[in-house]
Amino acid sequence: MTRLIDRQSLTASGAATALEFTRTGGGRWAEWNRYLELAGRRAYSIGNICNTCEFLFQRLDGANQSVTPGADLARELDAGLRTVAPGLLDRLGDVVPAGRYSAALLEVRPRLVRPGSDDDYFCREQTALWGVDAFWGLPHDPRTEYYRVGSHALGEGRMLFEFLIPMHPHGWLDSARVLHFENRFEQGDRPTALALSVLDVKHPAEWEDSCEITEHWCLAHYLLDGHHKTYAAAKAGAAITLLGLVAVDQGVSQPEQVETGVAALRFAAA
């Protein structure tokens, strides 16, 4: 379940960020593979530039730490945001790579997924449309647990899938801190996690006539801050708020598709 609470536009300077979007060539393409880097190391492969290839993310060696947004901002997130205020955006513009963003404050109910499980997108929805990898004969392996936070029909054969992807596994978390957030959820609190988000719109070149959904809008929220509260919410079946900074120019999508995808969350249901 996802519910859009508020959203604003952001132009980020990236003045103090440890994050970077990078691309490398492949075959005859000058740019093909896309990455999210953290502190100069590749944290995630976030797929290629092809709109008919499958969506993917895959954890790499650089995904080994949270991104601390600064003490004052961290306290505001811990207390829980209710709106996306201009003053908040000014500070967030230093935290993420330079570029244009749609800053979306969402209410989400995260559900932890392990690769290969019945709820794994790559084993279920993706293989239903693309089949398994022709070389490996297996579904894609993201090499990480992740959270699913909703799937939303957009009409005309389109479905929006949302993923919340941690920078490290929950086994690295402090159990006392997790319990702290579980107790807060019991009291009705809604602390806020922070994510850098990318929308990829993907559809195969060919598909079976029986396929009802033929275009996957995959909104990947890479979790920067809030790993304890997110895992605690998944354990408790509770809702948290998520501030997703959706990059306008980094996904396999057009700016108008980013606008459509984010706007659709205002009316989304589980």
Side-chain angles (χ1 to χ4, degrees):
M1 180 275 291
T2 299
R3 181 175 65 89
L4 178 64
I5 299 170
D6 190 19
R7 63 179 175 134
Q8 301 289 338
S9 296
L10 165 66
T11 299
S13 68
T17 187
L19 297 159
E20 185 178 7
F21 290 112
T22 60
R23 299 187 180 194
T24 61
R28 56 190 176 87
W29 296 86
E31 291 186 351
W32 182 255
N33 297 303
R34 300 176 296 140
Y35 298 94
L36 176 61
E37 294 191 0
L38 173 58
R41 298 178 62 190
R42 290 175 180 170
Y44 271 93
S45 167
I46 60 174
N48 58 42
I49 64 169
C50 172
N51 64 350
T52 60
C53 299
E54 299 94 331
F55 165 75
L56 67 85
F57 57 83
Q58 190 170 69
R59 184 181 177 222
L60 304 175
D61 290 346
N64 57 14
Q65 58 184 303
S66 300
V67 176
T68 303
D72 290 344
L73 183 52
R75 280 192 290 270
E76 290 181 51
L77 295 172
D78 190 62
L81 301 178
R82 298 297 176 262
T83 62
V84 183
L88 175 73
L89 290 178
D90 291 342
R91 286 172 289 155
L92 285 171
D94 294 341
V95 176
V96 294
R100 297 185 296 158
Y101 295 86
S102 179
L105 181 60
L106 310 168
E107 183 180 81
V108 301
R109 196 176 297 272
R111 187 171 73 254
L112 187 64
V113 172
R114 294 189 63 84
S117 68
D118 291 342
D119 205 20
D120 182 5
Y121 164 84
F122 301 104
C123 290
R124 194 172 70 179
E125 290 94 342
Q126 188 174 92
T127 56
L129 184 56
W130 273 273
V132 298
D133 183 275
F135 180 80
W136 297 108
L138 296 168
H140 171 68
D141 181 4
R143 297 182 183 174
T144 183
E145 60 190 12
Y146 61 94
Y147 302 91
R148 298 192 67 167
V149 293
S151 301
H152 320 290
L154 301 177
E156 300 178 341
R158 303 171 301 166
M159 181 73 78
L160 175 65
F161 300 96
E162 283 191 275
F163 311 87
L164 183 52
I165 305 159
M167 281 294 175
H168 52 73
H170 78 263
W172 294 12
L173 299 176
D174 182 333
S175 58
R177 186 70 173 159
V178 172
L179 181 59
H180 162 78
F181 282 111
E182 288 185 72
N183 292 333
R184 286 186 58 187
F185 293 135
E186 289 183 1
Q187 298 167 13
D189 288 351
R190 291 289 185 271
T192 304
L194 177 65
L196 177 58
S197 309
V198 180
L199 175 67
D200 284 353
V201 177
K202 300 279 195 168
H203 57 86
E206 298 179 353
W207 57 82
E208 298 291 335
D209 291 339
S210 59
C211 289
E212 180 181 356
I213 303 300
T214 57
E215 190 168 275
H216 287 196
W217 292 43
C218 297
L219 182 54
H221 303 286
Y222 294 92
L223 188 59
L224 304 181
D225 179 76
H227 289 73
H228 289 88
K229 63 190 74 166
T230 302
Y231 180 61
K235 284 187 65 182
I240 61 170
T241 48
L242 171 70
L243 182 57
L245 304 179
V246 186
V248 174
D249 303 310
Q250 296 297 334
V252 184
S253 54
Q254 299 300 315
E256 57 269 24
Q257 290 174 316
V258 173
E259 169 67 19
T260 296
V262 173
L265 298 176
R266 188 178 300 278
F267 310 102

